[in-house]
Amino acid sequence: MKKIGITGQNGFVGRHLYNTLGLFPEEFERIDFKKEYFEDQNELDQFVKQCDVIVHLAAMNRHESEQFIYETNVGLAQKLVDSLKRTDSKAHVMISSSTQEERDNLYGKSKKEGREALANWATENGGKITGLIIPNVFGAFGKPFYNSFVATFCYQLTHGETPTIAIDGDVKLIYVQELVDIIISEIREENSKPEFYIDATSTNKVSEVLALLNDYKTKYFDGGEIPLINNSFEHNLFNTYRSYIDHKTHYPVKFTQHTDPRGAFVEVIRLGIGGQCSFSTTVPNITRGNHYHTRKIERFAVIKGKALIQLRKIDTDEVLDFYLDGNEPAYVDMPIWYTHNIKNIGEEELYTIFWINEAFNPENSDTYFLEV
C-alpha cells in the first residue's frame, strides 16, 4: 500500500485528489497534511517521513503583488526540498506546475523554479520527480474569482450576477477529475518525469463556454430541464455548473401541477439527453440510497407520500434536509460528490420517480456507498 500525502490537500485540485484516492482504500493510504506544517520543521519532517508519494500542490495563484506570489511559491518548494534532505527521503515527489512557465510572468517563473528545485533534489538524492505542467483546470467546487474563469462564471450565473468577458481568447482546459486520474496513473507507474506536459482535453473560446453556461442557467436552473449534452466536456461543464447552486435555497423545486376532474398531471423531467428512468414505492420508515456519484446526474421526484431527502458533501459534516410532499410534487437533483438518501417519513407508501443520465453498469457503476 502506498502512503500518499498532498500539500494543499484542501485546495481545489488537492481536495478532488484526496477524495478520489479514498475510493481505493486497499491501494492507497492518505497521510493528512495541514498548511501549518510549512511553518514547523518538525511537523513537516514528520509528514515527509511517512510518505511514499508527496503531491506538492500548495501554491498561491493570485495576489495583488506578483512578487509576493513568486516568493511564496518558490519558498514553499524550497521548504519541501529542505525537509526531503533532512529526512533522507526517497519519496516520489510530484509537483504541479503550469503552462504559464512559458510566459514572461512571475507566477510562471515561480512554478518553473519550484519544479526545477525538486527535480534537482531527486537527481542528487535518489528520489523520483514528476513535474506536472498543467493547462487551465476547471471543475466542481473551484473558488470563484481565484481558480478559473469557469468557477467565476458558474458562481455568478447561480447567484444572480451577470458575467463579463475581459478577453475572448482560446483557452486550453482540463477537467479536474481528468487531471486527478492522470496523477493517480503516474503514481501507479512510479516513473521519474521532470517535465511531464499534460495535454488539454478541450480548447474553447471564453465566449463559447459562457454561451453554454447561459444555456444551463436558462434551461436547467430556471426551467428544470436537463440540457442537451454533446460530449464529455459539456458533461463536465454541466456538473461543474451544478456544483455552484445554493442547494439549501434552490431545492426542493415544485413541479407545475395541472388538475382537472380526471385528476392531476405533472411533467417530471424534460431531457436533452437520454438515461434511465425508474419508479419505486417505499414503505414507511424505510430509507433508500446512502451513496454518492462522481459523474452521474440524478433526479429524485416525489409524486405521492411524504419524504425526507438528505444530502451531505462527503468531506463535510453538514447535512441538508429537504422535506417533500406528494400533495405538491417536487424534485431534488443530486450534486456530484454528495452522498444522498430518501426516507419515507409518512404513514402511506411513498412513490418516487428516479431519473439518472446513464443506465446502471455494475462494472462501472460510479456508485459509492456512504451514510449521509
Side-chain angles (χ1 to χ4, degrees):
M1 179 179 290
K2 285 187 172 70
K3 295 182 178 181
I4 301 176
I6 307 165
T7 73
Q9 76 174 40
N10 290 320
F12 170 43
V13 176
R15 180 52 59 181
H16 278 277
L17 177 58
Y18 185 88
N19 288 338
T20 303
L21 290 169
L23 303 179
F24 307 96
E26 296 179 358
E27 186 178 2
F28 304 122
E29 178 184 345
R30 298 172 294 181
I31 306 300
D32 279 338
F33 180 86
K34 297 180 180 178
K35 63 182 181 180
E36 291 80 13
Y37 291 176
F38 277 121
E39 306 307 320
D40 187 321
Q41 280 192 9
N42 292 331
E43 291 280 11
L44 184 58
D45 290 354
Q46 187 60 35
F47 166 77
V48 168
K49 285 178 185 177
Q50 295 179 74
C51 296
D52 301 313
V53 179
I54 299 170
V55 186
H56 180 49
L57 301 177
M60 177 174 286
N61 293 347
R62 295 181 189 274
H63 191 274
E64 59 187 17
S65 168
E66 284 195 28
Q67 185 65 31
F68 187 75
I69 293 174
Y70 171 79
E71 292 172 359
T72 298
N73 291 341
V74 172
L76 291 174
Q78 190 58 52
K79 286 180 179 181
L80 180 56
V81 167
D82 292 343
S83 181
L84 290 161
K85 289 180 178 178
R86 286 194 300 269
T87 58
D88 194 28
S89 174
K90 306 299 180 187
H92 180 186
V93 179
M94 311 179 79
I95 178 172
S96 66
S97 189
S98 166
T99 51
Q100 290 199 42
E101 278 193 10
E102 303 165 359
R103 299 182 184 177
D104 185 22
N105 62 50
L106 285 174
Y107 171 75
K109 186 178 180 183
S110 75
K111 300 299 285 184
K112 183 176 183 179
E113 289 187 14
R115 179 176 62 79
E116 290 176 341
L118 283 161
N120 290 337
W121 161 80
T123 300
E124 296 167 3
N125 296 274
K128 293 178 183 175
I129 178 70
T130 302
L132 303 161
I133 301 173
I134 304 169
N136 295 279
V137 185
F138 75 99
F141 318 123
K143 187 177 178 181
F145 309 101
Y146 186 80
N147 285 127
S148 80
F149 75 94
V150 177
T152 302
F153 286 178
C154 288
Y155 176 85
Q156 290 176 316
L157 287 169
T158 53
H159 289 76
E161 300 177 17
T162 302
T164 57
I165 296 173
I167 301 173
D168 188 20
D170 286 326
V171 182
K172 294 181 178 180
L173 294 166
I174 187 169
Y175 183 53
V176 65
Q177 195 63 45
E178 295 171 328
L179 172 60
V180 164
D181 291 344
I182 291 170
I183 292 173
I184 292 175
S185 176
E186 291 301 309
I187 289 172
R188 289 171 172 149
E189 285 190 16
E190 301 181 340
N191 293 325
S192 270
K193 297 177 182 176
E195 285 187 351
F196 178 40
Y197 285 87
I198 295 178
D199 292 331
T201 52
S202 63
T203 301
N204 305 82
K205 285 191 175 298
V206 175
S207 57
E208 293 171 345
V209 175
L210 182 54
L212 286 167
L213 294 174
N214 275 318
D215 187 57
Y216 301 160
K217 179 187 186 303
T218 301
K219 291 179 178 175
Y220 178 73
F221 188 78
D222 296 337
E225 176 181 345
I226 305 298
L228 178 64
I229 294 174
N230 295 294
N231 50 49
S232 60
F233 169 73
E234 292 184 11
H235 184 156
N236 295 334
L237 187 66
F238 181 57
N239 271 335
T240 299
Y241 175 81
R242 296 197 306 130
S243 75
Y244 290 86
I245 293 172
D246 184 350
H247 307 299
K248 291 181 188 177
T249 59
H250 187 69
Y251 295 111
V253 178
K254 293 181 180 179
F255 292 110
T256 300
Q257 189 170 188
H258 305 278
T259 59
D260 61 26
R262 299 169 297 175
F265 171 83
V266 168
E267 182 181 283
V268 173
I269 191 165
R270 185 171 293 193
L271 297 172
I273 56 176
Q276 177 178 309
C277 200
S278 311
F279 169 78
S280 80
T281 64
T282 305
V283 298
N285 297 313
I286 292 297
T287 300
R288 294 180 179 272
N290 283 319
H291 61 244
Y292 64 95
H293 311 294
T294 67
R295 68 172 186 266
K296 288 182 174 178
I297 308 163
E298 187 174 28
R299 174 168 295 183
F300 289 7
V302 170
I303 59 173
K304 182 183 178 184
K306 294 183 178 180
L308 168 62
I309 294 176
Q310 295 182 302
L311 277 66
R312 177 176 66 82
K313 191 167 178 283
I314 68 162
D315 50 13
T316 72
D317 296 325
E318 182 183 19
V319 176
L320 307 181
D321 292 335
F322 301 106
Y323 294 90
L324 290 78
D325 189 328
N327 290 323
E328 295 183 285
Y331 71 86
V332 176
D333 287 353
M334 305 301 127
I336 54 174
W337 293 104
Y338 276 72
T339 187
H340 48 268
N341 64 29
I342 182 168
K343 181 178 182 179
N344 185 345
I345 58 173
E347 298 179 356
E348 60 178 351
E349 275 193 317
L350 172 67
Y351 288 10
T352 311
I353 293 175
F354 301 97
W355 170 82
I356 198 160
N357 71 299
E358 56 184 85
F360 183 76
N361 176 0
E363 295 182 359
N364 185 16
S365 67
D366 188 41
T367 301
Y368 304 95
F369 289 91
L370 182 67
E371 291 283 334
V372 173

